[in-house]
Amino acid sequence: MPTDNLIERLGSEVRAVPRGLAARRLILGAGAGVVVAAVLMPLWIGVRPDLAQAVGTAAFWIKLAYTLGIAAATFWLLERLARPGARTLNQVIVGLAPPVAVLVLAAAELAGAEAAERPHLIMGASSHLCPWRIVALALPVLIGALWALRGLAPTRPTLTGAVAGLCAGGAGAFVYAFHCDERAMPFLALWYSGGIVISGVIGAVAGRRLLRW
Amino acid sequence: MAPLGDLEPRLKDLMLAGLAGDNAAHTKLLRELAAALRRYYARRLGGGAADVEDLVQDTLIAVHTRRGTYQSDMPFTAWAYAIAHYKLVDLYRRQGRRPTVPLESAGALFAPDDHEAWTAAGDLDHVLATLEPKAAAVIRHTHIEGLSTKETAALTGQSESAVKVGVHRGLKKLIARFGGRSDHADR
């Protein structure tokens, strides 16, 4: 078809487009995934039985703040990556804040602990399960985010997929934190982050293949 | 890159009108983009007409169907350029070429066509490089930059007659080297 005819045809089917499409679509996709994860988690591994006492501890809230911080910052970055030519520097800087803060907390706790206690602060009792369960809970969020991104216009598919994976990892870890009874900051810094990073790698691989347009 | 200054507000207005449902504005925008894209891709792909037109159409469809990803918080030209660049990289990838396209400023998409002037300047440099530097310099001053013999003499520290002789001999050499008809045949 000649280009002029194509333009005529595209121009004749114009409808008003709602504002903030990228944010809306991502909230819809990723949000649906979070709902799925939040419903599955109690059925699958259960909410921690001591939740009523845990809400009185700092560790419980730090875990929620860390995971929510990562999910929120990477979501903000994702919304930019979904729009061609949008600047992303501020979002990247904000995204670095949660991991840096948790690393500082973990280092402080390790430095203040007896040498004999340190292995337990790092390994906890559930390090062999934690990252994989986070990845599993992240998957529905990642699927929802990738669905949303396929209708948007990410010009860096692999990077966008990776950030979608990190965001899903953050959300999955947030849900997981209602099950997990680990209290140590080094555990959080290593195993929660590990699950989130694995989710990011899965997102990168998926994005490379699925986010072409 | 100068035209970007008034191009940005004009195209942005057309885009925002199109997003609000204005058919005519959207059609006008797509026409302007088609012309810019055609020039941009022709420069990058070396003018293979079918390839260029396919890519122009592919990009226009992407601009149209994904126009909801444009928001007024950013320059329209940056958005359009990012899509044009992405489509070029994607073509290279599909052709199995390494997709290394330098990311330029948005002005690259809307630059006027300066391809011919650029290659001509390159050719001229090559031709002049075959002369001694002194002769090349006086020819450059008098015949390309448009200086007078007097100004050239002052600039190069030679007498006016030396400049005249230098230009004359240099041009004669160039004519002998590049002007002959026999020379054209084997090029």
Side-chain angles (χ1 to χ4, degrees):
Chain A
M1 188 192 337
T3 303
D4 283 344
N5 294 7
L6 174 73
I7 291 173
E8 289 297 330
R9 198 203 262 181
L10 295 179
S12 66
E13 57 181 55
V14 170
R15 271 176 300 139
V17 175
R19 281 160 188 257
L21 178 77
R24 270 174 213 239
R25 211 179 143 87
L26 281 167
I27 287 171
L28 190 65
V34 173
V35 170
V36 170
V39 169
L40 284 183
M41 191 282 279
L43 301 176
W44 174 37
I45 47 181
V47 176
R48 61 190 288 182
D50 62 344
L51 188 64
Q53 290 86 53
V55 295
T57 65
F60 177 77
W61 295 105
I62 291 173
K63 283 197 290 186
L64 290 187
Y66 176 51
T67 53
L68 188 62
I70 287 183
T74 51
F75 182 88
W76 193 28
L77 176 58
L78 201 56
E79 193 266 342
R80 293 300 178 103
L81 287 171
R83 297 193 276 131
R87 293 178 178 278
T88 51
L89 183 64
N90 290 344
Q91 286 71 19
V92 171
I93 293 169
V94 170
L96 291 174
V100 168
V102 163
L103 281 175
V104 169
L105 287 175
E109 190 171 348
L110 279 179
E114 301 284 333
E117 268 181 64
R118 284 177 190 157
H120 182 70
L121 291 179
I122 294 170
M123 300 305 292
S126 59
S127 59
H128 59 298
L129 293 172
C130 165
W132 306 110
R133 287 176 166 176
I134 287 176
V135 169
L137 292 170
L139 279 180
V141 186
L142 179 59
I143 291 168
L146 290 173
W147 166 82
L149 288 165
R150 281 174 63 85
L152 301 169
T155 55
R156 284 169 285 185
T158 308
L159 175 66
T160 307
V163 174
L166 293 175
C167 180
F174 180 83
V175 173
Y176 180 71
F178 288 91
H179 161 81
C180 161
D181 58 5
E182 300 283 353
R183 277 188 309 239
M185 292 297 116
F187 183 93
L188 177 65
L190 187 59
W191 301 107
Y192 272 61
S193 308
I196 292 167
V197 168
I198 293 168
S199 171
V201 171
I202 295 171
V205 172
R208 199 181 160 78
R209 304 178 62 97
L210 298 177
L211 298 181
R212 307 272 180 197
W213 46 281
Chain B
M1 312 282 121
L4 209 52
D6 36 291
L7 205 62
E8 169 59 37
R10 204 161 54 75
L11 295 183
K12 186 170 180 169
D13 282 351
L14 288 176
M15 180 69 177
L16 292 177
L19 285 175
D22 182 337
N23 278 315
H26 190 62
T27 306
K28 192 156 183 272
L29 178 75
L30 290 179
R31 282 222 180 83
E32 292 219 18
L33 273 181
L37 288 167
R38 204 169 283 129
R39 283 196 302 271
Y40 171 72
Y41 289 140
R43 279 200 297 272
R44 297 299 181 285
L45 299 175
D51 253 9
V52 170
E53 212 51 34
D54 281 355
L55 201 51
V56 167
Q57 295 201 359
D58 192 21
T59 308
L60 288 175
I61 292 170
V63 162
H64 175 77
T65 55
R66 292 167 200 267
R67 64 192 192 280
T69 61
Y70 176 71
Q71 278 168 221
S72 55
D73 61 353
M74 58 179 299
F76 172 76
T77 48
W79 181 81
Y81 171 72
I83 291 180
H85 180 266
Y86 171 75
K87 283 293 177 188
L88 184 61
V89 171
D90 194 54
L91 175 74
Y92 285 159
R93 188 188 58 85
R94 280 186 278 121
Q95 290 177 342
R97 285 157 67 177
R98 274 192 66 175
T100 47
V101 184
L103 202 58
E104 300 153 295
S105 71
L109 174 56
F110 300 97
D113 221 333
D114 53 5
H115 184 66
E116 283 175 26
W118 183 82
T119 48
D123 288 347
L124 208 53
D125 284 339
H126 277 295
V127 168
L128 285 176
T130 64
L131 295 175
E132 294 161 47
K134 223 173 170 182
V138 288
I139 289 176
R140 188 176 284 283
H141 289 319
T142 53
H143 282 73
I144 299 170
E145 292 163 9
L147 301 184
S148 69
T149 310
K150 202 174 172 183
E151 287 165 329
T152 304
L155 207 65
T156 57
Q158 307 173 46
S159 69
E160 281 184 52
S161 55
V163 169
K164 277 184 196 160
V165 172
V167 168
H168 180 70
R169 285 190 186 153
L171 287 179
K172 216 168 162 186
K173 267 188 202 161
L174 289 182
I175 289 164
R177 215 166 277 160
F178 298 101
R181 283 174 179 273
S182 61
D183 203 279
H184 267 295
D186 53 33
R187 273 216 275 164

